[in-house]
Amino acid sequence: MTTAFALCGLALPGHATIVNTRSPQVPQPSTELDLTISEGLEPGVTRARTLRCDPPSGNHPYPETACYDVAVAEGDLARLPGEPGKVCSGVYKPVTVSALGEWRGIPVRFEQSYRNACKMTASTGLVFGF
């Protein structure tokens, strides 16, 4: 009989009733970006990686750092913090990077060409560091 009262939410003296006071968690919109690097000015895949955030994962070699930089840029890869002050040579060996996917539920589409891989890293940090 005591069990019946406890199951109904009624407690007898000396018996505890468990009440769930936690509110349900709202799932965080996901972040998943398909990243590519190609040599030259034309888009084409030379290297490709997938970056997932919240939690950082995918086959990107530096997912924690890359996810942090994407979050700092609020998903706008044109605003990545990069590596300010990085000194690069003037060698012309262009690379083109692209990103397609979502950042916290917001569509991301990014494509940019750089004079060389060093200039790319100076602008994008480790997001395209693979």
Side-chain angles (χ1 to χ4, degrees), residues 71-124:
V72 166
E74 296 180 339
D76 181 357
L77 275 56
R79 295 178 34 212
L80 287 169
E83 295 182 18
K86 184 173 180 74
V87 177
C88 297
S89 73
V91 172
Y92 186 71
K93 189 175 179 189
V95 293
T96 300
V97 299
S98 68
L100 185 62
E102 287 188 341
W103 176 75
R104 296 184 178 166
I106 299 169
V108 172
R109 182 179 294 259
F110 176 78
E111 185 177 296
Q112 182 68 46
S113 294
Y114 298 93
R115 181 174 188 85
N116 55 46
C118 180
K119 292 283 190 182
M120 173 197 72
T121 302
S123 296
T124 65

Side-chain angles (χ1 to χ4, degrees), residues 31-107:
T31 295
E32 183 169 335
L33 299 172
D34 293 321
L35 307 170
T36 63
I37 302 173
S38 55
E39 295 180 13
L41 297 174
E42 297 296 319
V45 177
T46 301
R47 291 172 282 171
R49 295 288 184 266
T50 299
L51 175 65
R52 292 184 192 94
C53 303
D54 307 316
S57 63
N59 63 355
H60 193 287
Y62 311 102
E64 292 85 6
T65 303
C67 287
Y68 176 82
D69 285 353
V70 172
V72 166
E74 296 180 339
D76 181 357
L77 275 56
R79 295 178 34 212
L80 287 169
E83 295 182 18
K86 184 173 180 74
V87 177
C88 297
S89 73
V91 172
Y92 186 71
K93 189 175 179 189
V95 293
T96 300
V97 299
S98 68
L100 185 62
E102 287 188 341
W103 176 75
R104 296 184 178 166
I106 299 169

Side-chain angles (χ1 to χ4, degrees), residues 5-6 8-12 15-19:
F5 286 116
C8 294
L10 302 173
L12 295 174
H15 292 84
T17 301
I18 299 172
V19 178

